[in-house]
Amino acid sequence: MSTSETARPATLDAVSLRELIDAGRAPRLLDVRTPAEFETSHIPGSYNVPLDLLKEHREELRNHLDEDVVLVCRSGARATQAEQALAGVGLPNLRVLDGGILAWQAANAPIKRGAPRWDLERQVRLVAGTIVLASVLGSVFVPQLKWVAGFIGAGLTFAAVTNTCAMGMMLGKLPYNRGASCDLDTIVGQLRDTGGRA
């Protein structure tokens, strides 16, 4: 078995997850998207634990997660990062929702909706595209600006190869994406109280 095969997290498809929930055997659902993305739409009963907060406080969170856990994000990339962080502190029974919230919605599964906002990946495309366009146009007058476009291109290439995105992490910290209060104490309180699911 290759290293890439052993590093691949266990997944659960949307249909199987829905069957577990309908049968009353729902795993703990942790949605690792930004609070704004979570407020826009999420699986009923899931908890919002943004990826940056999860990575920073994985040791504390591990103490409140002893049952089956399914990690959710938009498409599966951030949930995979969350799985690696939690597996690193010895949390068993971790799975990633295959295809993320997009697959859940495609399966016509129940969804709780709030005020619509742009998801983080769309924001990254807007910011990166705007910077590249402005630097290429500006390079007509200031030739060195072409290197800004090259830097953004290199960053996007690195993001694709490593399945991480520094620009996305920075944008996730903006007030627009923070939404309602989402701090460690609030999350731990919700995890302790099984009635605290959204």
Side-chain angles (χ1 to χ4, degrees):
M1 187 179 284
S2 73
T3 319
S4 63
E5 289 173 339
T6 56
R8 185 172 287 149
T11 59
L12 183 68
D13 62 72
V15 173
S16 299
L17 176 58
R18 187 171 183 182
E19 288 171 359
L20 286 172
I21 293 170
D22 291 346
R25 299 178 304 147
R28 186 74 64 110
L29 300 173
L30 298 186
D31 190 319
V32 299
R33 296 175 299 153
T34 66
E37 288 174 295
F38 182 80
E39 288 173 11
T40 297
S41 65
H42 61 270
I43 299 171
S46 60
Y47 299 87
N48 186 215
V49 185
L51 180 60
D52 58 343
L53 190 139
L54 181 142
K55 284 181 171 180
E56 184 179 343
H57 299 286
R58 60 184 172 252
E59 298 273 350
E60 297 98 321
L61 291 168
R62 194 258 178 268
N63 297 328
H64 302 283
L65 300 169
D66 54 359
E67 66 270 10
D68 289 336
V69 174
V70 174
L71 299 157
V72 180
C73 68
R74 180 177 184 270
S75 62
R78 284 178 276 175
T80 298
Q81 292 176 45
E83 186 274 339
Q84 291 166 351
L86 291 174
V89 294
L91 189 64
N93 306 323
L94 292 167
R95 291 177 285 178
V96 170
L97 178 59
D98 192 21
I101 198 80
L102 295 176
W104 182 259
Q105 290 172 313
N108 292 318
I111 199 91
K112 186 171 183 182
R113 296 197 183 277
R117 295 185 189 207
W118 281 20
D119 62 57
L120 201 54
E121 292 174 32
R122 185 175 181 191
Q123 293 175 52
V124 168
R125 291 191 302 263
L126 173 70
V127 172
T130 301
I131 292 171
V132 168
L133 179 62
S135 59
V136 167
L137 291 175
S139 70
V140 170
F141 304 104
V142 182
Q144 293 80 5
L145 284 177
K146 68 183 174 202
W147 295 109
V148 174
F151 177 76
I152 296 297
L156 292 173
T157 301
F158 179 79
V161 169
T162 62
N163 204 20
T164 61
C165 184
M167 185 180 293
M169 289 186 269
M170 290 188 303
L171 290 172
K173 295 182 186 302
L174 292 176
Y176 173 83
N177 289 313
R178 296 316 298 175
S181 173
C182 197
D183 56 63
L184 181 64
D185 293 334
T186 303
I187 291 168
V188 167
Q190 291 174 347
L191 292 173
R192 281 191 196 134
D193 174 23
T194 56
R197 294 187 180 196

